[in-house]
């Protein structure tokens, strides 16, 4: 938004860093963030876009649900769950046991999102962002987390070992 | 935050199970990490009993034989080891068969010859407290035979909640009850802070103590009340049970009351032994640097400004909002209590608590900024409990240092904005009803705008229209939102030219059989040393995880070498690898040109593409695999340049990590250096346990700058090319690039492409010479070339080659 006047529709993959290292945390990982700011973007539109995304990645039968949440840069903020593709959302596997993937809930958390907090437009007012006139949504998700869920990869660190036996499975 | 369901249900009791309540809370923004069962698994078999007779056990000194009325009409015999058991007591009894917290059913047991049919319970046996010194003695109201669960929370579900940082009001049982009320519509009980205790006596609090806020920028309000005739002792069972289920250890009635009030209404309190507040005067101020005090946990701590201290006439007596001091701690001999309920500046609590490395239940609430109204509300609830539980006398009046009272906040809401932001029309009556359920009051309507007064407990996070809309949206139900897509029919996503270029050249690498790797952006200084890289210091991390990951990589090669070694060790020595990623150099700064996002960048970042070709190249139909050489590497680099549409030449250049005679730079026509290529220095290769490898690395950002725009339409060649392979013998020191450009000069416009595809040293070529094999394609756009035309071109090429000492081989 600092370089482009509204409307803006952008999807931004990139590297992120944190001081952590274990099976579910690596010091470097990747995020995809999306931002759509226009005159009439609604929270319902966010729901539609994320449903399309969830179905493209996890299968046509998937549903999503939004849970109210908190992030400092969106208002309202939501966490987004996708219906579990291991158990079909029932929480129970075919043999009657509790599905460990979704911990029996039938839902898996995949990302955080929300409507861009109106305060943010104040920082780019010179580019024509007026919170009375524009509104939009933003979302962000961890690429490796999505890949781990989709492909059942047990350890995040495997993405950075660059072992051909791993890489060639996704060629 | 642990919320025992039985406690929650005292204030809001929807006809829903623990799981159903958790689900409603989850969807409306109060994340439930789990629902935990505490106490006994099943309350059946636990009843109220009355001890009718107690006789010493004939065969054991420490045991008593009790006759207990369990309401059944036939008294039962229970052997009990507790010293405090006595006839007339109302007690908690587990009958044989009752499931104990360890999951085992209680069995009849014969103890030294007498059969005990049941057990009289101590606190710890049903998870109410930690006390095992004696049995629990219940109040007289309970009737023998009544289910014990009606009198004691012996089995409970506890909601373990993750409270968002903007919701300090939900770090309280009553606050969560408000959420359950809004989320389920079940009625909400009266706010427990509504009613005050009756004071007694003719004196007033001000006669007993004084309070002054010297630094109002760290403390917004400090209230204090005085209690006399306080009897400090253990808390009653109901109070212990509440605290234990909520995860707090019962200590003494006065301290337990402060914790109970905090857990119920969210305001931390601190009780001082007033006789140990020196001078009976309190001053709230910032710490002087180096000031020391021992806190309640027995640790001597050193403070610095602006940490807030609660001081008495002689020095610090507590850390404001974080932890009290040992000097004024309430003890068994305390009779006069000064109860503090203050409002601290949240940001200062947050920074002080991280400075001290001390986070407490109090600081986690204060750091989220509580409202000053809550301080006096908590005093009322605490006073009722101190009078009721500790037999205290509430001294009339309250000391209230409140320099700048906070005005109630009014926030306007335009009803049409709700639909515009959420994408669903919600009727105005419903908007008002939802907000009123959450405690907002419609205080008026001004030219269509609804004016809502924000309740004190939401003052930290609801200040704007968007905040009100979020409240309406989450309670109305995010599951009821329609599913739509943005309506901008002409919006079509596309890659930027630089992204398209990157993707194009990455495809070239993939198509030639290379695997893409993703290595960490960090490397170690030792790795850069092994590459013999001197010169510019790499960008160092301020707070690295380890020495191995302590600097940002200035080139991609080390990640590729690591990956090659990893795969070679696993039987894949020939893995051709590439990476397309950023590299980092010092010299970042403030961006002001408006071409990209504003702000400081710690490094100069460039996008590079690098390839590493270790081991043998792929084998062809007629050729056995041979070690990958400089020319294979160069051919790959040329394919990249070709895909980018950038013309470049290869010039000799030394690199510390490349073979001295087999290294070069790729230089664009305008003279800018695109990158390097060559054979990895054998000593460097050996450091990574590799036999031999070639590699190149290009600055893709530079490539993107030089790349032409979209290519103009070029005729599909309709006339066939004349393909000729030639072999040229040249002196050893003659570069392939020189040979190539001589061939191009000779071939002129009709020579469409030139490619070096083999190099040969050997006896037939002669000492100090080598032979290059080149494939030439001659093509004219408007005709098929005749053999004569091509022969003439070959003659001109031969002449040019002779000029650089080259000779065509037959
Ligand atoms: Zn599942």
């Amino acid at each position: 938004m600092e370089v482009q006047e509204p409307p803006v529709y952008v999807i931004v993959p990139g590297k992120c860093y944190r001081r952590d290292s274990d099976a579910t945390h690596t010091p470097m990982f990747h995020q995809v963030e999306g931002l759509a700011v226009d005159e009439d973007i609604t929270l319902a539109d966010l729901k539609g876009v994320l449903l399309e995304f969830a179905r493209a990645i996890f299968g046509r039968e998937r549903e999503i649900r939004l849970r109210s949440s908190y992030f400092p840069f969106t208002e309202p903020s939501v966490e987004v769950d996708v219906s579990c593709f291991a158990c079909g959302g029932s929480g129970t596997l075919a043999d009657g046991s509790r599905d460990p993937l979704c911990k029996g809930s039938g839902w898996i958390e995949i990302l955080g999102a929300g409507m861009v907090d109106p305060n943010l437009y104040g920082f780019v007012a010179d580019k024509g962002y007026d919170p009375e006139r524009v509104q939009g949504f933003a979302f962000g998700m961890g690429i490796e987390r999505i890949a781990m869920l989709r492909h059942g990869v047990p350890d995040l660190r495997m993405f950075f070992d660059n072992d051909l036996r791993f890489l060639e499975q996704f060629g | 935050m642990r919320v025992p369901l039985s406690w929650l249900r005292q204030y809001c009791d929807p006809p829903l199970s623990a799981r159903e309540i958790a689900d409603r809370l989850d969807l409306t923004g109060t994340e439930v990490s789990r629902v935990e069962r505490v106490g006994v698994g099943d309350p059946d078999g636990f009843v109220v009993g009355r001890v009718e007779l107690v006789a010493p056990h004939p065969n054991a000194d420490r045991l008593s034989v009790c006759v207990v009325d369990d309401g059944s009409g036939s008294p039962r015999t229970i052997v009990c080891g507790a010293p405090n058991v006595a006839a007339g007591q109302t007690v908690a009894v587990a009958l044989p068969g009752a499931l104990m917290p360890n999951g085992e059913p209680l069995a009849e047991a014969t103890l030294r010859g007498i059969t005990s049919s049941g057990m009289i319970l101590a606190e710890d046996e049903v998870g109410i407290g930690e006390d095992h010194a004696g049995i629990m003695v219940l109040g007289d109201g309970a009737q023998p035979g009544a289910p014990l669960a009606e009198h004691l929370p012996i089995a409970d579900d506890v909601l373990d909640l993750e409270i968002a940082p903007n919701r300090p009001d939900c770090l309280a049982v009553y606050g969560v009850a408000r959420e359950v009320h809004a989320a389920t519509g079940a009625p909400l009980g009266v706010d427990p802070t509504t009613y005050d205790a009756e004071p007694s006596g003719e004196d007033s609090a001000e006669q007993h103590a004084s309070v002054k806020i010297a630094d109002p920028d760290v403390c917004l309000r400090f209230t204090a009340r005085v209690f006399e005739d306080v009897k400090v002792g253990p808390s009653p069972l109901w109070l212990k049970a509440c605290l234990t289920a909520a995860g707090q250890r019962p200590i003494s009635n006065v301290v337990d009351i402060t914790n109970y009030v905090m857990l119920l209404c969210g305001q931390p309190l601190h009780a001082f032994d007033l006789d140990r507040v020196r001078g009976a005067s309190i001053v709230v101020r910032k710490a002087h640097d180096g000031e020391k005090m021992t806190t309640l946990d027995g640790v001597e701590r050193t403070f610095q400004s602006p940490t807030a201290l609660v001081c008495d006439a002689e020095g610090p007596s507590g850390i404001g909002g974080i932890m009290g001091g040992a000097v004024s701690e309430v003890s068994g001999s305390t009779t006069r209590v000064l109860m503090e309920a203050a409002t601290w500046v949240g940001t200062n609590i947050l920074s002080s608590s991280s400075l001290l490395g001390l986070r407490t239940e109090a600081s986690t609430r204060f750091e989220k900024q509580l409202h000053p109204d809550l301080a006096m509300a908590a005093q009322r609830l605490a006073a009722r409990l101190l009078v009721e539980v500790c037999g205290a006398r509430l001294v009339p009046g309250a000391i209230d240092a409140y320099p700048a009272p906070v005005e109630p906040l009014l926030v306007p809401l335009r009803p049409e904005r709700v639909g515009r932001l959420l994408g669903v029309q919600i009727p105005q009556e419903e908007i008002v009803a939802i907000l009123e359920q959450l405690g907002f009051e419609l205080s008026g309507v001004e030219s269509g705008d609804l004016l809502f007064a924000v309740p004190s407990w939401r003052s930290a996070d609801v200040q704007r229209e968007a905040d009100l809309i979020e409240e309406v949206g989450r309670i109305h139900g995010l599951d009821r939102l329609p599913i739509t897509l943005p309506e901008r029919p002409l919006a079509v996503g596309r890659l930027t030219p630089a992204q398209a270029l990157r993707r194009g050249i990455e495809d070239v690498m993939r198509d030639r059989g290379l695997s893409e790797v993703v290595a960490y952006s960090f490397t170690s200084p030792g790795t850069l040393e092994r590459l013999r890289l001197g010169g510019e210091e790499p960008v160092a991390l301020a707070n690295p995880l380890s020495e191995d990951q302590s600097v940002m990589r200035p080139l991609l090669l080390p990640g590729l070498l690591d990956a090659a070694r990893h795969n070679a060790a696993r039987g894949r020595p020939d893995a051709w690898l590439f990476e397309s990623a950023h590299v980092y150099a010092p010299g970042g700064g403030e961006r002001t040109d408006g071409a990209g996002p504003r702000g400081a960048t710690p490094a100069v970042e460039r996008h590079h593409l690098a390839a590493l070709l270790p081991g043998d190249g792929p084998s062809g139909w007629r050729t056995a695999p041979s070690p990958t050489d400089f020319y294979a590497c160069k051919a790959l680099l040329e394919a990249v340049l070709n895909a980018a549409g950038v013309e470049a030449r290869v010039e000799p250049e030394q690199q510390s990590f490349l073979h001295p005679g087999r290294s070069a730079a790729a230089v664009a026509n305008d003279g800018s250096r695109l990158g390097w290529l060559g054979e990895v220095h054998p000593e460097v290769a050996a450091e990574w346990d590799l036999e031999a490898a070639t590699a190149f690395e290009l600055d893709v950002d530079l490539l993107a700058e030089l790349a032409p725009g979209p290519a103009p339409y070029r005729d599909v060649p309709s006339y066939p090319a004349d393909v000729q392979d030639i072999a040229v013998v040249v002196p050893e020191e003659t570069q392939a690039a020189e040979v190539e450009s001589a061939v191009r000069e000779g071939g002129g416009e009709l020579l469409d492409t030139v490619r070096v595809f083999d190099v040969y040293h050997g006896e037939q070529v002669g000492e100090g010479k080598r032979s290059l094999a080149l494939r030439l394609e001659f093509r004219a756009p408007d005709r098929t070339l005749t053999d004569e035309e091509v022969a003439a071109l070959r003659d001109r090429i031969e002449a040019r080659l002779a000029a650089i000492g080259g000779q065509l081989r037959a």
Side-chain angles (χ1 to χ4, degrees):
Chain A
M1 291 193 277
E2 287 183 351
V3 290
Q4 187 179 321
E5 291 171 5
V8 54
Y9 292 79
V10 65
I11 186 102
V12 189
K15 289 190 164 98
C16 300
Y17 302 93
R18 69 185 149 205
R19 207 176 177 285
D20 239 336
S21 183
D22 59 39
T24 55
H25 298 87
T26 45
M28 183 182 90
F29 58 103
H30 294 81
Q31 287 265 125
V32 172
E33 311 220 329
L35 175 72
V37 176
D38 207 331
E39 292 186 354
D40 50 7
I41 300 282
T42 68
L43 189 62
D45 291 338
L46 172 65
K47 196 173 177 181
V49 167
L50 294 177
L51 179 62
E52 283 299 310
F53 164 77
R55 289 183 172 173
I57 293 284
F58 295 110
R60 297 309 303 173
E61 313 77 45
R62 299 280 73 80
E63 298 297 333
I64 61 164
R65 75 172 181 183
L66 308 187
R67 283 180 291 114
S68 180
S69 186
Y70 171 76
F71 302 109
F73 35 80
T74 48
E75 187 82 27
S77 300
V78 294
E79 301 264 16
V80 181
D81 298 340
V82 62
S83 57
C84 178
F85 42 87
C87 64
S90 67
T92 314
L93 296 176
D95 64 1
S97 65
R98 178 172 175 267
D99 180 7
L101 183 64
C102 63
K103 301 188 183 77
S105 72
W107 295 96
I108 298 171
E109 185 179 321
I110 53 167
L111 58 91
M115 300 300 287
V116 176
D117 192 295
N119 284 1
L120 259 61
Y121 299 122
F123 296 97
V124 284
D126 58 333
K127 280 283 171 186
Y129 290 88
D130 171 4
E132 282 296 298
R133 208 171 55 75
V134 298
Q135 58 187 46
F137 63 67
F139 59 84
M141 70 188 100
I143 299 178
E144 288 89 355
R145 176 174 160 73
I146 300 280
M148 284 172 88
L149 287 171
R150 183 167 187 243
H151 300 288
V153 177
D155 191 325
L156 183 53
R157 291 168 293 202
M158 295 175 84
F159 289 98
F160 303 99
D161 285 344
N162 295 315
D163 192 309
L164 285 171
R165 294 166 299 176
F166 178 80
L167 297 178
E168 284 169 357
Q169 293 180 38
F170 307 101
Chain B
M1 171 78 191
R2 287 170 57 90
V3 175
L5 211 60
S6 62
W7 199 358
L8 180 68
R9 288 195 194 273
Q10 292 174 29
Y11 298 99
C12 188
D13 188 13
L16 300 172
S17 70
R19 192 64 256 173
E20 289 165 331
I21 292 175
D23 285 345
R24 284 302 296 160
L25 285 172
D26 239 342
L27 291 176
T28 52
T30 313
E31 197 180 332
V32 182
S33 47
R34 63 197 176 120
V35 180
E36 192 191 329
R37 182 92 186 155
V38 297
V40 303
D42 180 349
D44 280 358
F46 293 88
V47 297
V48 175
R50 181 162 295 130
V51 181
E52 298 192 324
L53 282 171
V54 178
H57 193 294
N59 308 320
D61 287 349
R62 301 226 172 106
L63 298 179
S64 316
V65 180
C66 310
V67 177
V68 177
D69 174 8
D70 64 2
S72 66
S74 51
R76 62 178 59 236
T77 301
I78 297 177
V79 177
C80 180
N84 67 329
V85 67
Q89 287 171 337
T90 303
V91 295
V93 175
L95 303 177
L99 272 182
M100 302 304 284
N102 64 7
E104 295 290 320
L106 184 68
E108 285 201 346
T110 303
L111 296 161
R112 302 243 174 160
I114 295 183
T115 299
S116 179
S117 58
M119 186 171 169
I120 302 176
L121 298 164
E123 287 173 13
D124 66 333
E125 283 158 342
V126 283
I128 283 178
E130 296 179 335
D131 195 355
H132 190 66
I135 55 162
M136 293 183 283
V137 180
L138 310 182
D140 289 336
Q143 286 307 307
L148 185 58
E150 287 177 7
H151 298 274
L152 280 180
I154 56 168
D156 207 350
D157 290 308
V158 175
L159 306 179
D160 201 347
L161 306 178
E162 293 285 339
I163 302 301
N166 64 329
R167 294 301 302 274
D169 60 305
C170 287
L171 289 171
V173 171
Y174 190 71
V176 175
R178 283 197 201 99
E179 282 295 307
V180 174
H181 162 65
T184 66
L188 180 67
V190 177
D191 185 334
T193 65
T194 308
Y195 303 109
D196 204 347
E198 266 316 307
S200 58
E202 299 301 311
D203 50 351
S204 77
E206 279 93 348
Q207 292 166 341
H208 292 265
S210 70
V211 171
K212 179 168 171 262
I213 298 177
D215 290 318
D217 53 338
V218 297
C219 181
L220 303 180
R221 187 181 197 182
F222 194 107
T223 71
R225 277 181 150 187
V226 176
F227 299 86
E228 293 200 317
D229 310 326
V230 179
K231 288 164 209 63
V232 177
S235 289
L237 288 174
W238 66 265
L239 181 49
K240 284 185 176 177
C242 269
L243 295 183
T244 303
Q248 291 259 341
R249 201 161 55 87
I251 295 167
S252 72
N253 50 12
V254 172
V255 176
D256 292 352
I257 285 168
T258 63
N259 284 329
Y260 177 88
V261 171
M262 174 181 74
L263 292 171
L264 180 54
C265 77
Q267 167 77 43
L269 302 172
H270 183 66
F272 293 85
D273 182 335
L274 182 50
D275 292 320
R276 294 165 68 190
V277 175
R278 297 158 294 191
S281 72
I282 281 178
V283 176
V284 178
R285 60 164 170 82
K286 293 175 203 166
H288 309 307
D289 289 345
E291 213 166 351
K292 289 185 168 56
M293 185 196 73
T294 301
T295 39
L296 283 176
D297 52 3
V299 177
E300 188 186 57
R301 298 176 191 273
T302 308
F303 308 105
Q304 44 188 292
S305 187
T307 293
L309 294 181
V310 179
C311 303
D312 62 19
E314 290 174 31
S317 189
I319 318 172
I322 300 179
M323 190 181 271
V327 61
S328 52
E329 184 178 5
V330 169
S331 68
S333 59
T334 300
T335 60
R336 297 173 71 229
V337 166
L338 180 133
M339 187 63 75
E340 163 201 327
T343 312
W344 304 94
V345 171
T347 48
N348 191 48
I349 295 291
L350 186 61
S351 57
S352 298
S353 125
S354 93
L355 209 61
L356 289 164
L358 183 61
R359 279 194 103 215
T360 60
E361 290 279 336
S363 74
T364 54
R365 288 171 172 81
F366 283 126
E367 73 189 19
K368 298 177 177 76
Q369 193 56 61
L370 301 182
H371 191 283
D373 282 1
L374 192 56
M376 208 45 110
Q379 289 281 16
R380 293 192 287 269
L381 175 58
R384 275 181 23 229
L385 291 166
L386 277 161
V387 170
E388 183 187 311
V389 171
C390 310
R393 173 176 80 89
L394 169 61
V395 172
I399 305 171
D400 187 4
Y402 191 12
V406 173
E407 294 294 328
L409 184 64
L410 289 179
V411 178
L413 175 69
R414 293 163 290 181
E416 77 278 5
R417 282 269 160 171
V418 176
R420 203 191 131 181
L421 194 70
L422 300 180
V424 59
Q425 289 305 322
I426 301 176
Q428 183 164 324
E429 310 80 65
E430 197 183 339
I431 293 172
V432 173
I434 287 171
L435 288 171
E436 285 183 340
Q437 224 163 25
L438 287 165
F440 295 84
E441 266 175 53
L442 180 59
S443 71
V445 181
E446 244 173 48
S447 54
D449 295 2
L450 309 175
L451 269 183
F452 284 96
V454 178
S456 61
W457 61 88
R458 296 302 303 278
S459 62
D461 81 309
V462 180
Q463 290 162 354
R464 306 162 304 166
E465 185 178 59
D467 305 328
L468 289 175
I469 296 174
E470 170 166 50
E471 296 300 305
V472 172
R474 73 186 179 92
I475 299 299
H476 176 262
L478 298 174
D479 50 335
R480 292 166 67 191
L481 280 184
I483 292 167
T484 55
L485 288 173
E487 286 177 36
R488 179 160 281 265
L490 296 179
V492 176
R494 58 185 155 69
L495 300 175
T496 63
Q499 286 170 329
L501 176 89
R502 288 207 293 271
R503 202 163 282 188
I505 62 182
E506 287 159 12
D507 286 350
V508 166
M509 306 300 262
R510 184 202 57 204
D511 292 348
R512 296 193 178 225
L514 281 78
S515 294
E516 181 169 9
V517 305
V518 177
Y520 287 124
S521 305
F522 336 105
T523 187
S524 72
T527 296
L528 301 180
E529 260 169 47
R530 289 207 297 281
L531 294 175
R532 304 116 178 276
L533 283 172
E536 202 173 42
E537 282 292 310
V539 177
L541 298 186
N543 195 14
L545 206 52
S546 69
E547 175 73 9
D548 277 354
Q549 302 182 333
S550 61
V551 297
M552 299 302 282
R553 55 180 174 177
L555 77 173
L556 299 180
L557 181 64
L560 291 169
L561 288 168
D562 288 346
R565 173 170 56 192
H566 177 97
N567 286 295
R570 286 158 184 80
R572 301 290 296 272
D574 304 331
W576 283 18
L577 306 171
F578 79 98
E579 182 168 13
S580 172
H582 280 199
V583 299
Y584 307 82
E590 198 75 24
R591 179 160 213 168
T592 51
D593 60 3
R598 291 186 285 249
T601 48
V604 177
E605 294 186 35
R606 305 286 297 180
H607 196 101
H608 278 199
L609 174 86
L612 181 71
L613 319 177
D616 292 344
S619 51
W621 284 336
R622 286 174 301 168
T623 51
S626 60
T628 310
D629 66 12
F630 185 84
Y631 296 96
C633 178
K634 177 164 169 273
L636 198 57
L637 182 142
E638 279 166 348
V640 169
L641 295 174
N642 208 21
V646 173
E647 289 194 27
R649 58 183 185 275
V650 167
E651 292 179 353
E653 185 193 82
Q654 300 293 315
Q655 286 286 354
S656 60
F657 48 83
L658 294 179
H659 190 295
R662 296 170 203 158
S663 70
V667 180
N669 281 347
D670 71 347
S672 46
R673 185 181 171 281
L674 293 166
W676 53 262
L677 71 159
E679 193 175 313
V680 176
H681 196 292
E683 289 172 20
V684 172
E687 293 268 16
W688 269 269
D689 307 324
L690 301 171
E691 295 270 324
T694 53
F696 71 78
E697 182 155 347
L698 290 175
D699 182 332
V700 179
D701 287 335
L702 195 52
L703 215 50
E705 280 171 37
L706 298 173
Y713 171 72
R714 186 170 170 229
D715 271 333
V716 179
S718 42
Y719 296 92
D722 189 321
V723 180
Q724 304 239 336
D725 288 349
I726 59 170
V728 190
V729 177
V730 291
E732 187 79 63
E733 64 275 12
T734 304
Q735 295 295 321
E738 283 179 69
V739 174
E740 225 186 276
S741 66
V743 169
R744 281 197 182 280
E745 279 170 36
E749 286 196 349
L750 295 176
L751 176 57
D752 196 28
T753 62
V754 181
R755 190 162 65 83
V756 178
F757 68 92
D758 198 10
V759 187
Y760 184 73
H761 300 255
E763 276 175 30
Q764 299 117 297
V765 182
E767 187 80 7
K769 304 216 175 223
R770 59 180 178 160
S771 170
L772 301 179
L774 293 93
R775 173 157 297 178
L776 316 181
E777 286 184 28
F778 298 95
R779 179 184 276 130
D782 51 353
R783 64 185 190 283
T784 303
L785 291 170
T786 63
D787 292 350
E788 290 74 25
E789 280 178 296
V790 173
L793 291 172
R794 274 189 67 139
D795 289 347
R796 282 175 51 192
I797 289 169
E798 190 168 0
R800 294 286 180 179
L801 286 170
I804 60 164
Q807 194 189 350
L808 274 193
R809 268 171 75 202

